[in-house]
Amino acid sequence: MSETVNYSNEKAGLWSRFFARSLDITSIFIIFFCFLLALFILYPSSNPFHSTLNSQMDANAAGYCIFILFLPFYIFIDAAICSAFGNNFGNKLLGIRVISDDGSKISFSNFVKRNFIIYISCLTFGLPLVSTIAHIINYSKYKKTGTTIWDRNSKTLVISYGSSNSRTALCAILYFVLEIIFSIIGKSIPENNYKYSNNSYSYSSNQQLNSGLPKRIDDVTILSSIVEKNNGYTYNYILRKENGEDIFISDENIINRLRQSITNDFSKRYCYGDLKTLKELGYSITNIYRERGNAVALEVYIDKSLCNN
């Protein structure tokens, strides 16, 4: 036998419903986002955005991608909260509640069904402009029919048990405050959090890159170290024969031929081959060849300007 909720049948206002949903999604997303942020700081390698967040635009794009990925999870989070406690955070603040049209409590599966329809027909997968248009269309339909497509299909209605204009106004202010807080958190990402994350990752990368070095790569060249710094990788080489004899390059023609050969080899790898990821991330490559006494015999710089596209 179903448990009946004894509330009046007064329907909740549209603004109350709008800010209840907006508050609930925003508050849970901020918690979700802060959890991910802490995870990325503690474990930088788990952050899929660590190497691409070099500007505020990048951070905003990353935050928005996370929001889009979060919305499907919200369908089940909200359903679990409502089925367990009878209401969610946003509805509670606004003094409204979702019930079935016969007054009985709604099951978890029916909440999931209702939220899924909202996700498709109203939130439209989180796409901002499309979502705005969908809200306007749904508002127009509600004014004509007195219900929404998700309430009609899940046989639910949203009732008021304490909502008021002043309560809606206060919750609207709270919603915008939460949006401002999230904006502040997002703006701090490139400047602080992801800088810390990238530095930690660079340290780890340098350790991994230099594993097994120094290493002889041909009969006259030893790769001694690789250093990642300031959005660039520096490859340090020592010119020395296998018998330990040092190599000195004094002929300018030989130096120019070597420079051209090294440039051709690395530019192909950098633009189209195994080093292409470095180009896409905006990293440059500097090859430094040293003679005895640490004197620089040859230096070759590789960056995007050497690529055709």
Side-chain angles (χ1 to χ4, degrees):
M1 182 176 180
S2 63
E3 182 181 351
T4 302
V5 183
N6 294 317
Y7 293 130
S8 69
N9 289 328
E10 180 184 352
K11 288 185 178 180
L14 283 176
W15 285 114
S16 295
R17 296 178 59 159
F18 173 78
F19 283 114
R21 183 185 304 117
S22 300
L23 261 175
D24 200 62
I25 293 176
T26 302
S27 58
I28 294 178
F29 178 65
I30 288 177
I31 296 172
F32 177 80
F33 186 83
C34 288
F35 170 78
L36 286 182
L37 195 59
L39 179 66
F40 294 161
I41 291 174
L42 292 174
Y43 303 99
S45 60
S46 69
N47 178 7
F49 305 104
H50 73 271
S51 57
T52 57
L53 294 184
N54 299 312
S55 67
Q56 186 58 52
M57 183 178 296
D58 291 339
N60 290 337
Y64 187 66
C65 287
I66 294 173
F67 177 73
I68 290 179
L69 294 173
F70 159 79
L71 282 178
F73 291 99
Y74 174 78
I75 292 174
F76 298 95
I77 294 172
D78 178 71
I81 292 173
C82 289
S83 59
F85 302 103
N87 216 349
N88 62 29
F89 172 72
N91 288 349
K92 188 74 174 178
L93 285 181
L94 269 297
I96 63 178
R97 184 171 183 174
V98 181
I99 62 171
S100 61
D101 55 12
D102 63 0
S104 62
K105 286 186 176 180
I106 307 173
S107 65
F108 172 80
S109 60
N110 208 30
F111 267 121
V112 170
K113 176 183 177 181
R114 183 177 187 272
N115 287 345
F116 183 75
I117 298 173
I118 293 174
Y119 172 67
I120 299 295
S121 64
C122 187
L123 299 178
T124 58
F125 308 99
L127 302 175
L129 180 60
V130 180
S131 178
T132 300
I133 296 173
H135 273 81
I136 295 173
I137 293 174
N138 282 293
Y139 171 81
S140 177
K141 289 182 178 179
Y142 181 88
K143 297 296 287 185
K144 293 179 180 179
T145 63
T147 187
T148 61
I149 185 174
W150 49 92
D151 282 329
R152 183 169 64 253
N153 282 274
S154 57
K155 298 180 180 180
T156 59
L157 56 91
V158 184
I159 61 170
S160 169
Y161 65 89
S163 61
S164 64
N165 291 335
S166 58
R167 196 167 181 172
T168 301
L170 288 173
C171 288
I173 294 172
L174 177 59
Y175 165 68
F176 290 115
V177 168
L178 287 177
E179 287 289 332
I180 293 172
I181 291 173
F182 178 69
S183 177
I184 293 172
I185 294 173
K187 286 181 179 179
S188 72
I189 291 173
E191 183 177 354
N192 298 310
N193 297 321
Y194 281 103
K195 184 182 292 184
Y196 172 85
S197 176
N198 281 329
N199 287 340
S200 300
Y201 183 79
S202 297
Y203 175 73
S204 174
S205 294
N206 283 327
Q207 286 184 321
Q208 295 172 6
L209 286 171
N210 287 277
S211 177
L213 298 183
K215 177 183 179 181
R216 179 169 292 279
I217 60 174
D218 57 37
D219 57 351
V220 295
T221 312
I222 298 172
L223 176 59
S224 61
S225 66
I226 304 173
V227 180
E228 190 274 319
K229 187 178 180 181
N230 298 329
N231 289 333
Y233 282 85
T234 299
Y235 288 68
N236 294 297
Y237 299 91
I238 298 173
L239 297 172
R240 185 174 299 154
K241 293 182 179 180
E242 292 184 5
N243 61 7
E245 181 182 347
D246 291 309
I247 298 175
F248 298 94
I249 305 175
S250 56
D251 190 319
E252 193 66 30
N253 290 328
I254 294 176
I255 292 175
N256 288 334
R257 286 200 299 270
L258 283 173
R259 179 180 287 108
Q260 188 61 49
S261 175
I262 294 167
T263 300
N264 290 340
D265 177 55
F266 266 88
S267 61
K268 288 178 182 178
R269 295 173 60 193
Y270 179 81
C271 297
Y272 315 108
D274 59 309
L275 299 177
K276 183 179 178 182
T277 300
L278 297 181
K279 180 196 74 172
E280 294 172 346
L281 297 178
Y283 283 88
S284 61
I285 297 176
T286 303
N287 298 280
I288 300 177
Y289 295 80
R290 301 180 187 275
E291 300 173 333
R292 186 174 61 186
N294 212 35
V296 176
L298 178 64
E299 185 171 326
V300 179
Y301 183 76
I302 308 294
D303 65 4
K304 287 183 177 180
S305 64
L306 296 174
C307 303
N308 294 328
N309 49 20

PDB file of all heavy atoms in Angstrom, residues 36-58:
ATOM      1  N   LEU A  36      36.640  16.932  -7.539  1.00  0.00           N
ATOM      2  CA  LEU A  36      37.544  16.659  -8.656  1.00  0.00           C
ATOM      3  C   LEU A  36      38.789  17.537  -8.585  1.00  0.00           C
ATOM      4  O   LEU A  36      39.906  17.088  -8.865  1.00  0.00           O
ATOM      5  CB  LEU A  36      36.826  16.908  -9.991  1.00  0.00           C
ATOM      6  CG  LEU A  36      35.791  15.880 -10.436  1.00  0.00           C
ATOM      7  CD1 LEU A  36      35.235  16.264 -11.794  1.00  0.00           C
ATOM      8  CD2 LEU A  36      36.382  14.491 -10.497  1.00  0.00           C
ATOM      9  N   LEU A  37      38.603  18.803  -8.198  1.00  0.00           N
ATOM     10  CA  LEU A  37      39.717  19.720  -8.095  1.00  0.00           C
ATOM     11  C   LEU A  37      40.737  19.235  -7.069  1.00  0.00           C
ATOM     12  O   LEU A  37      41.948  19.246  -7.315  1.00  0.00           O
ATOM     13  CB  LEU A  37      39.207  21.111  -7.710  1.00  0.00           C
ATOM     14  CG  LEU A  37      40.165  22.283  -7.880  1.00  0.00           C
ATOM     15  CD1 LEU A  37      40.608  22.412  -9.325  1.00  0.00           C
ATOM     16  CD2 LEU A  37      39.495  23.566  -7.402  1.00  0.00           C
ATOM     17  N   ALA A  38      40.231  18.797  -5.910  1.00  0.00           N
ATOM     18  CA  ALA A  38      41.122  18.260  -4.875  1.00  0.00           C
ATOM     19  C   ALA A  38      41.841  17.006  -5.373  1.00  0.00           C
ATOM     20  O   ALA A  38      43.031  16.812  -5.121  1.00  0.00           O
ATOM     21  CB  ALA A  38      40.318  17.949  -3.614  1.00  0.00           C
ATOM     22  N   LEU A  39      41.108  16.170  -6.117  1.00  0.00           N
ATOM     23  CA  LEU A  39      41.697  14.947  -6.666  1.00  0.00           C
ATOM     24  C   LEU A  39      42.812  15.281  -7.649  1.00  0.00           C
ATOM     25  O   LEU A  39      43.889  14.664  -7.626  1.00  0.00           O
ATOM     26  CB  LEU A  39      40.614  14.121  -7.364  1.00  0.00           C
ATOM     27  CG  LEU A  39      41.059  12.806  -8.015  1.00  0.00           C
ATOM     28  CD1 LEU A  39      41.517  11.809  -6.958  1.00  0.00           C
ATOM     29  CD2 LEU A  39      39.914  12.210  -8.832  1.00  0.00           C
ATOM     30  N   PHE A  40      42.584  16.296  -8.512  1.00  0.00           N
ATOM     31  CA  PHE A  40      43.581  16.671  -9.512  1.00  0.00           C
ATOM     32  C   PHE A  40      44.825  17.274  -8.868  1.00  0.00           C
ATOM     33  O   PHE A  40      45.938  17.117  -9.375  1.00  0.00           O
ATOM     34  CB  PHE A  40      42.984  17.675 -10.512  1.00  0.00           C
ATOM     35  CG  PHE A  40      41.882  17.102 -11.365  1.00  0.00           C
ATOM     36  CD1 PHE A  40      40.988  17.940 -12.013  1.00  0.00           C
ATOM     37  CD2 PHE A  40      41.747  15.729 -11.509  1.00  0.00           C
ATOM     38  CE1 PHE A  40      39.976  17.419 -12.804  1.00  0.00           C
ATOM     39  CE2 PHE A  40      40.736  15.201 -12.306  1.00  0.00           C
ATOM     40  CZ  PHE A  40      39.857  16.054 -12.949  1.00  0.00           C
ATOM     41  N   ILE A  41      44.633  17.992  -7.749  1.00  0.00           N
ATOM     42  CA  ILE A  41      45.777  18.596  -7.061  1.00  0.00           C
ATOM     43  C   ILE A  41      46.599  17.524  -6.350  1.00  0.00           C
ATOM     44  O   ILE A  41      47.830  17.529  -6.398  1.00  0.00           O
ATOM     45  CB  ILE A  41      45.302  19.666  -6.057  1.00  0.00           C
ATOM     46  CG1 ILE A  41      44.737  20.878  -6.815  1.00  0.00           C
ATOM     47  CG2 ILE A  41      46.445  20.111  -5.144  1.00  0.00           C
ATOM     48  CD1 ILE A  41      44.120  21.933  -5.920  1.00  0.00           C
ATOM     49  N   LEU A  42      45.917  16.587  -5.692  1.00  0.00           N
ATOM     50  CA  LEU A  42      46.629  15.530  -4.961  1.00  0.00           C
ATOM     51  C   LEU A  42      47.254  14.515  -5.911  1.00  0.00           C
ATOM     52  O   LEU A  42      48.332  13.981  -5.634  1.00  0.00           O
ATOM     53  CB  LEU A  42      45.651  14.824  -4.007  1.00  0.00           C
ATOM     54  CG  LEU A  42      45.144  15.654  -2.824  1.00  0.00           C
ATOM     55  CD1 LEU A  42      44.082  14.887  -2.051  1.00  0.00           C
ATOM     56  CD2 LEU A  42      46.296  16.031  -1.892  1.00  0.00           C
ATOM     57  N   TYR A  43      46.561  14.251  -7.022  1.00  0.00           N
ATOM     58  CA  TYR A  43      47.061  13.265  -7.989  1.00  0.00           C
ATOM     59  C   TYR A  43      47.047  13.911  -9.385  1.00  0.00           C
ATOM     60  O   TYR A  43      46.130  13.678 -10.173  1.00  0.00           O
ATOM     61  CB  TYR A  43      46.197  12.010  -7.980  1.00  0.00           C
ATOM     62  CG  TYR A  43      46.100  11.367  -6.616  1.00  0.00           C
ATOM     63  CD1 TYR A  43      44.992  11.594  -5.794  1.00  0.00           C
ATOM     64  CD2 TYR A  43      47.124  10.547  -6.137  1.00  0.00           C
ATOM     65  CE1 TYR A  43      44.914  11.018  -4.530  1.00  0.00           C
ATOM     66  CE2 TYR A  43      47.048   9.968  -4.881  1.00  0.00           C
ATOM     67  CZ  TYR A  43      45.940  10.204  -4.090  1.00  0.00           C
ATOM     68  OH  TYR A  43      45.858   9.632  -2.842  1.00  0.00           O
ATOM     69  N   PRO A  44      48.051  14.745  -9.696  1.00  0.00           N
ATOM     70  CA  PRO A  44      48.062  15.505 -10.961  1.00  0.00           C
ATOM     71  C   PRO A  44      47.924  14.650 -12.208  1.00  0.00           C
ATOM     72  O   PRO A  44      47.302  15.069 -13.181  1.00  0.00           O
ATOM     73  CB  PRO A  44      49.431  16.198 -10.921  1.00  0.00           C
ATOM     74  CG  PRO A  44      49.790  16.265  -9.479  1.00  0.00           C
ATOM     75  CD  PRO A  44      49.216  15.021  -8.859  1.00  0.00           C
ATOM     76  N   SER A  45      48.503  13.445 -12.191  1.00  0.00           N
ATOM     77  CA  SER A  45      48.443  12.614 -13.393  1.00  0.00           C
ATOM     78  C   SER A  45      47.027  12.138 -13.703  1.00  0.00           C
ATOM     79  O   SER A  45      46.750  11.679 -14.818  1.00  0.00           O
ATOM     80  CB  SER A  45      49.371  11.406 -13.246  1.00  0.00           C
ATOM     81  OG  SER A  45      48.991  10.612 -12.139  1.00  0.00           O
ATOM     82  N   SER A  46      46.110  12.226 -12.729  1.00  0.00           N
ATOM     83  CA  SER A  46      44.722  11.825 -12.963  1.00  0.00           C
ATOM     84  C   SER A  46      43.921  12.910 -13.660  1.00  0.00           C
ATOM     85  O   SER A  46      42.777  12.680 -14.055  1.00  0.00           O
ATOM     86  CB  SER A  46      44.042  11.461 -11.635  1.00  0.00           C
ATOM     87  OG  SER A  46      43.859  12.618 -10.827  1.00  0.00           O
ATOM     88  N   ASN A  47      44.509  14.101 -13.807  1.00  0.00           N
ATOM     89  CA  ASN A  47      43.814  15.232 -14.393  1.00  0.00           C
ATOM     90  C   ASN A  47      43.953  15.223 -15.913  1.00  0.00           C
ATOM     91  O   ASN A  47      45.041  15.457 -16.438  1.00  0.00           O
ATOM     92  CB  ASN A  47      44.388  16.529 -13.816  1.00  0.00           C
ATOM     93  CG  ASN A  47      43.745  17.766 -14.421  1.00  0.00           C
ATOM     94  OD1 ASN A  47      42.791  17.678 -15.180  1.00  0.00           O
ATOM     95  ND2 ASN A  47      44.270  18.924 -14.077  1.00  0.00           N
ATOM     96  N   PRO A  48      42.882  14.958 -16.658  1.00  0.00           N
ATOM     97  CA  PRO A  48      42.983  14.895 -18.118  1.00  0.00           C
ATOM     98  C   PRO A  48      43.200  16.249 -18.766  1.00  0.00           C
ATOM     99  O   PRO A  48      43.482  16.331 -19.951  1.00  0.00           O
ATOM    100  CB  PRO A  48      41.626  14.312 -18.539  1.00  0.00           C
ATOM    101  CG  PRO A  48      40.692  14.724 -17.457  1.00  0.00           C
ATOM    102  CD  PRO A  48      41.509  14.684 -16.182  1.00  0.00           C
ATOM    103  N   PHE A  49      43.063  17.361 -17.982  1.00  0.00           N
ATOM    104  CA  PHE A  49      43.206  18.693 -18.546  1.00  0.00           C
ATOM    105  C   PHE A  49      44.526  19.362 -18.182  1.00  0.00           C
ATOM    106  O   PHE A  49      44.757  20.502 -18.551  1.00  0.00           O
ATOM    107  CB  PHE A  49      42.060  19.612 -18.060  1.00  0.00           C
ATOM    108  CG  PHE A  49      40.694  19.079 -18.343  1.00  0.00           C
ATOM    109  CD1 PHE A  49      39.927  18.521 -17.322  1.00  0.00           C
ATOM    110  CD2 PHE A  49      40.168  19.133 -19.613  1.00  0.00           C
ATOM    111  CE1 PHE A  49      38.658  18.019 -17.578  1.00  0.00           C
ATOM    112  CE2 PHE A  49      38.896  18.634 -19.877  1.00  0.00           C
ATOM    113  CZ  PHE A  49      38.139  18.080 -18.861  1.00  0.00           C
ATOM    114  N   HIS A  50      45.425  18.639 -17.417  1.00  0.00           N
ATOM    115  CA  HIS A  50      46.581  19.305 -16.834  1.00  0.00           C
ATOM    116  C   HIS A  50      47.507  19.931 -17.872  1.00  0.00           C
ATOM    117  O   HIS A  50      48.104  20.956 -17.623  1.00  0.00           O
ATOM    118  CB  HIS A  50      47.382  18.324 -15.968  1.00  0.00           C
ATOM    119  CG  HIS A  50      48.154  17.317 -16.745  1.00  0.00           C
ATOM    120  ND1 HIS A  50      47.607  16.102 -17.107  1.00  0.00           N
ATOM    121  CD2 HIS A  50      49.406  17.333 -17.256  1.00  0.00           C
ATOM    122  CE1 HIS A  50      48.502  15.419 -17.786  1.00  0.00           C
ATOM    123  NE2 HIS A  50      49.594  16.135 -17.890  1.00  0.00           N
ATOM    124  N   SER A  51      47.611  19.361 -19.029  1.00  0.00           N
ATOM    125  CA  SER A  51      48.562  19.874 -20.014  1.00  0.00           C
ATOM    126  C   SER A  51      47.938  20.846 -21.003  1.00  0.00           C
ATOM    127  O   SER A  51      48.623  21.391 -21.851  1.00  0.00           O
ATOM    128  CB  SER A  51      49.186  18.708 -20.781  1.00  0.00           C
ATOM    129  OG  SER A  51      48.180  17.935 -21.380  1.00  0.00           O
ATOM    130  N   THR A  52      46.635  21.086 -20.914  1.00  0.00           N
ATOM    131  CA  THR A  52      45.964  21.957 -21.874  1.00  0.00           C
ATOM    132  C   THR A  52      45.431  23.226 -21.249  1.00  0.00           C
ATOM    133  O   THR A  52      45.030  24.137 -21.961  1.00  0.00           O
ATOM    134  CB  THR A  52      44.781  21.221 -22.545  1.00  0.00           C
ATOM    135  OG1 THR A  52      43.875  20.767 -21.535  1.00  0.00           O
ATOM    136  CG2 THR A  52      45.290  20.043 -23.336  1.00  0.00           C
ATOM    137  N   LEU A  53      45.424  23.324 -19.909  1.00  0.00           N
ATOM    138  CA  LEU A  53      44.876  24.510 -19.263  1.00  0.00           C
ATOM    139  C   LEU A  53      45.949  25.583 -19.121  1.00  0.00           C
ATOM    140  O   LEU A  53      46.601  25.702 -18.106  1.00  0.00           O
ATOM    141  CB  LEU A  53      44.306  24.155 -17.877  1.00  0.00           C
ATOM    142  CG  LEU A  53      43.091  23.244 -17.893  1.00  0.00           C
ATOM    143  CD1 LEU A  53      42.557  23.042 -16.489  1.00  0.00           C
ATOM    144  CD2 LEU A  53      41.998  23.806 -18.763  1.00  0.00           C
ATOM    145  N   ASN A  54      46.130  26.389 -20.161  1.00  0.00           N
ATOM    146  CA  ASN A  54      47.127  27.442 -20.120  1.00  0.00           C
ATOM    147  C   ASN A  54      46.503  28.827 -20.124  1.00  0.00           C
ATOM    148  O   ASN A  54      47.209  29.827 -20.134  1.00  0.00           O
ATOM    149  CB  ASN A  54      48.061  27.313 -21.330  1.00  0.00           C
ATOM    150  CG  ASN A  54      48.801  25.989 -21.313  1.00  0.00           C
ATOM    151  OD1 ASN A  54      49.347  25.611 -20.297  1.00  0.00           O
ATOM    152  ND2 ASN A  54      48.807  25.300 -22.452  1.00  0.00           N
ATOM    153  N   SER A  55      45.179  28.926 -20.106  1.00  0.00           N
ATOM    154  CA  SER A  55      44.507  30.217 -20.113  1.00  0.00           C
ATOM    155  C   SER A  55      43.162  30.082 -19.442  1.00  0.00           C
ATOM    156  O   SER A  55      42.681  28.991 -19.182  1.00  0.00           O
ATOM    157  CB  SER A  55      44.307  30.709 -21.558  1.00  0.00           C
ATOM    158  OG  SER A  55      43.389  29.870 -22.231  1.00  0.00           O
ATOM    159  N   GLN A  56      42.544  31.256 -19.162  1.00  0.00           N
ATOM    160  CA  GLN A  56      41.225  31.243 -18.546  1.00  0.00           C
ATOM    161  C   GLN A  56      40.195  30.628 -19.477  1.00  0.00           C
ATOM    162  O   GLN A  56      39.275  29.946 -19.043  1.00  0.00           O
ATOM    163  CB  GLN A  56      40.817  32.671 -18.170  1.00  0.00           C
ATOM    164  CG  GLN A  56      39.511  32.753 -17.392  1.00  0.00           C
ATOM    165  CD  GLN A  56      39.566  31.952 -16.123  1.00  0.00           C
ATOM    166  OE1 GLN A  56      40.489  32.113 -15.337  1.00  0.00           O
ATOM    167  NE2 GLN A  56      38.585  31.104 -15.898  1.00  0.00           N
ATOM    168  N   MET A  57      40.358  30.852 -20.787  1.00  0.00           N
ATOM    169  CA  MET A  57      39.429  30.256 -21.752  1.00  0.00           C
ATOM    170  C   MET A  57      39.502  28.744 -21.684  1.00  0.00           C
ATOM    171  O   MET A  57      38.483  28.051 -21.722  1.00  0.00           O
ATOM    172  CB  MET A  57      39.748  30.753 -23.159  1.00  0.00           C
ATOM    173  CG  MET A  57      38.789  30.240 -24.228  1.00  0.00           C
ATOM    174  SD  MET A  57      39.159  30.893 -25.877  1.00  0.00           S
ATOM    175  CE  MET A  57      38.846  32.629 -25.607  1.00  0.00           C
ATOM    176  N   ASP A  58      40.717  28.216 -21.565  1.00  0.00           N
ATOM    177  CA  ASP A  58      40.883  26.772 -21.438  1.00  0.00           C
ATOM    178  C   ASP A  58      40.207  26.254 -20.186  1.00  0.00           C
ATOM    179  O   ASP A  58      39.567  25.205 -20.189  1.00  0.00           O
ATOM    180  CB  ASP A  58      42.370  26.411 -21.395  1.00  0.00           C
ATOM    181  CG  ASP A  58      43.064  26.641 -22.728  1.00  0.00           C
ATOM    182  OD1 ASP A  58      42.359  26.685 -23.743  1.00  0.00           O
ATOM    183  OD2 ASP A  58      44.288  26.799 -22.736  1.00  0.00           O
TER     184      ASP A  58
END
